[in-house]
Amino acid sequence: MQPPGRVRSLVVELEDGRTWGAYGSGELLHGRVRLELRGALRLRALEVCARGRAIVHWLESRSVGLNIVYYDYTAFQTFLNHHRQLIPDNGEVTVLQAGRHEFPFTFQLPETLATSFEGKHGSVRYWVKAKLHRPWATVKKVKKEFTVIEPIDINTPALLAPQAGAKEKLARAWYCNRGQVSVTAKIDRKGYTPGEVIPIFAEIDNCTNRAVVPKAAIIQTQTFIARGTKKQKKSVVTSIVGDSIAAGKREVWHGRALKIPPVGPSILQCRIIQVEYSLKVCVDIPGTSKLLLELPLVIGTIPLHPFGSRTSSVSSQYSITLDWLSSIPEQPEAPPEYSAVVPSPTAEQSLAPPCRSELGAVLEGPFFAYIQEFRFRPPPLYSEVDPNPPSDGIRPRCMTC
């Protein structure tokens, strides 16, 4: 029989992920199983497995006559299930001497994963478990959990599209018509990341005889699906309250700021758990229900690319070469005659069309940057009076010559 107390510790160690200390789809999961022994140990096998799954579970009670019947709603979805034999079980006993032993392992994560999540009726979890099989002894197990963050790039056309909407409501109280309230709202895009500020452009028109209060909030909706039934949980992530709008007045929000706090990203790749976000602009109307306008949001992990940084770097690159502009005199001199400067053989050669190789060198050089610099400048203003009249010593040029 195996003497007790030979195993001092059995630990699973994982290397940190590439981003935020977490892992993403398609990455390599590197780690090791560290085994410390007080004395020689006889074992049959040592295996390690990497698993990840989503689970949904809740109970619902219903009255059937005098009894209460509970219905169980449970669902599973597996994302990761890999096994590896570090010491294979070949029917023989392996003896490890006292001391510290390390067994490295590597797992390839699938291309499609769901972000780790903990909710009221379900969760998405990932872990690595090591099992030590010994003869005539129970299996010793140790588990190490890790976090997965599925990347969501908001730099896509669908998430960069503006979101807008309009809604109106007729305020009624005790069968009396008190007027109408309308709201129009717009945001510049659909995808955002935590820490960003959402500028809200809205117009609230209060045509009632009472004051109303506009509000805006980010709502998180958790949806759990099991056995064809959905269970939802909504919570307010953050909110702002606007100023009261008097009767018959209109309020305009010119980019009212709403900052996104640190929240988990949207979960869109799971079949049984979904995490969605929305921006709700509502108006509290006394004596009746609220006017609600909802705009969809997606909380991503890859922030918006700074498109303007590349343009500024290109312009700064040529800022030094444009210093010659300051040396141009305000009163330009009249040009000389073309025939007096260029002889006839040279003129005929210059009038020939340039070859393609010469054009390529010009377009790739700094001269092309000068062309781009003056490309979008407006034309000079038209005037009947010549701003630069010719002097007496300069003969005017004839266009027919």
Side-chain angles (χ1 to χ4, degrees):
M1 183 175 180
Q2 180 70 43
R6 294 292 180 89
V7 180
R8 177 177 295 176
S9 64
L10 178 64
V11 180
V12 175
E13 298 176 349
L14 298 177
E15 297 182 4
D16 292 336
R18 292 186 301 180
T19 310
W20 311 290
Y23 293 88
S25 59
E27 293 187 19
L28 293 177
L29 179 65
H30 299 284
R32 65 184 63 87
V33 176
R34 183 167 51 84
L35 177 62
E36 292 189 10
L37 304 176
R38 294 189 179 93
L41 178 68
R42 301 172 66 248
L43 55 89
R44 290 190 306 171
L46 176 62
E47 63 176 342
V48 62
C49 62
R51 300 199 63 186
R53 69 175 183 176
I55 180 173
V56 169
H57 174 71
W58 77 86
L59 295 175
E60 290 186 4
S61 61
R62 299 177 185 175
S63 299
V64 180
L66 300 178
N67 300 323
I68 298 178
V69 179
Y70 291 92
Y71 292 86
D72 190 324
Y73 292 87
T74 306
F76 299 92
Q77 183 177 356
T78 301
F79 297 102
L80 174 64
N81 189 11
H82 294 332
H83 294 266
R84 184 73 50 80
Q85 293 285 339
L86 302 180
I87 298 180
D89 186 3
N90 51 12
E92 298 180 358
V93 176
T94 302
V95 180
L96 295 180
Q97 300 301 322
R100 181 174 178 176
H101 304 269
E102 291 187 354
F103 303 90
F105 61 85
T106 300
F107 290 109
Q108 176 71 49
L109 298 181
E111 294 295 333
T112 301
L113 295 175
T115 301
S116 300
F117 171 76
E118 293 289 335
K120 183 178 181 180
H121 303 292
S123 62
V124 180
R125 298 174 182 173
Y126 298 87
W127 68 90
V128 175
K129 180 182 289 187
K131 297 180 181 180
L132 180 62
H133 300 269
R134 299 167 292 176
W136 307 102
T138 58
V139 179
K140 189 174 182 59
K141 303 177 183 179
V142 62
K143 184 170 69 172
K144 175 71 173 181
E145 294 186 355
F146 62 95
T147 304
V148 169
I149 297 181
E150 185 67 8
I152 300 178
D153 190 359
I154 68 172
N155 299 279
T156 59
L159 299 185
L160 292 178
Q163 305 295 311
K167 213 167 186 180
E168 58 185 21
K169 183 180 181 63
L170 189 63
R172 293 179 179 271
W174 297 98
Y175 302 101
C176 297
N177 186 2
R178 293 185 174 178
Q180 182 174 278
V181 179
S182 61
V183 58
T184 303
K186 178 184 178 181
I187 55 178
D188 55 356
R189 49 191 163 95
K190 184 178 181 180
Y192 288 88
T193 54
E196 284 192 284
V197 175
I198 303 178
I200 305 174
F201 299 88
E203 182 177 329
I204 303 97
D205 196 357
N206 181 19
C207 296
T208 65
N209 54 6
R210 289 191 177 186
V212 298
V213 179
K215 300 179 181 179
I218 298 178
I219 308 298
Q220 183 194 68
T221 303
Q222 302 176 6
T223 305
F224 307 93
I225 305 172
R227 297 172 54 185
T229 304
K230 293 184 179 181
K231 193 86 168 177
Q232 286 190 340
K233 180 181 180 299
K234 296 186 177 183
S235 58
V236 178
V237 175
T238 183
S239 63
I240 57 173
V241 180
D243 300 329
S244 178
I245 305 175
K249 298 296 182 179
R250 175 181 297 177
E251 177 75 14
V252 178
W253 286 0
H254 298 282
R256 190 71 178 267
L258 180 60
K259 187 175 182 180
I260 304 176
V263 294
S266 302
I267 299 180
L268 309 173
Q269 302 294 332
C270 186
R271 178 172 43 86
I272 61 176
I273 296 178
Q274 296 177 359
V275 177
E276 300 171 314
Y277 293 88
S278 61
L279 173 67
K280 285 191 176 181
V281 180
C282 67
V283 181
D284 286 340
I285 307 174
T288 184
S289 59
K290 300 179 181 179
L291 172 60
L292 298 176
L293 174 61
E294 185 174 358
L295 302 178
L297 287 177
V298 173
I299 303 300
T301 58
I302 301 177
L304 186 69
H305 294 327
F307 295 105
S309 61
R310 184 177 183 273
T311 306
S312 60
S313 63
V314 173
S315 60
S316 62
Q317 180 180 359
Y318 294 101
S319 59
I320 300 177
T321 60
L322 296 179
D323 293 339
W324 58 274
L325 291 174
S326 59
S327 61
I328 297 179
E330 297 182 359
Q331 182 73 16
E333 299 179 358
E337 291 292 337
Y338 184 77
S339 58
V341 178
V342 182
S344 55
T346 308
E348 294 177 0
Q349 183 178 1
S350 63
L351 293 177
C355 61
R356 185 176 182 86
S357 60
E358 295 177 355
L359 280 178
V362 170
L363 293 180
E364 293 178 358
F367 182 73
F368 181 67
Y370 301 155
I371 297 175
Q372 297 290 357
E373 190 73 22
F374 293 102
R375 182 180 179 183
F376 301 103
R377 292 200 173 189
L381 298 177
Y382 176 78
S383 177
E384 295 290 344
V385 181
D386 188 4
N388 301 313
S391 60
D392 298 337
I394 299 178
R395 181 176 60 87
R397 297 182 60 186
C398 180
M399 300 301 296
T400 60
C401 295

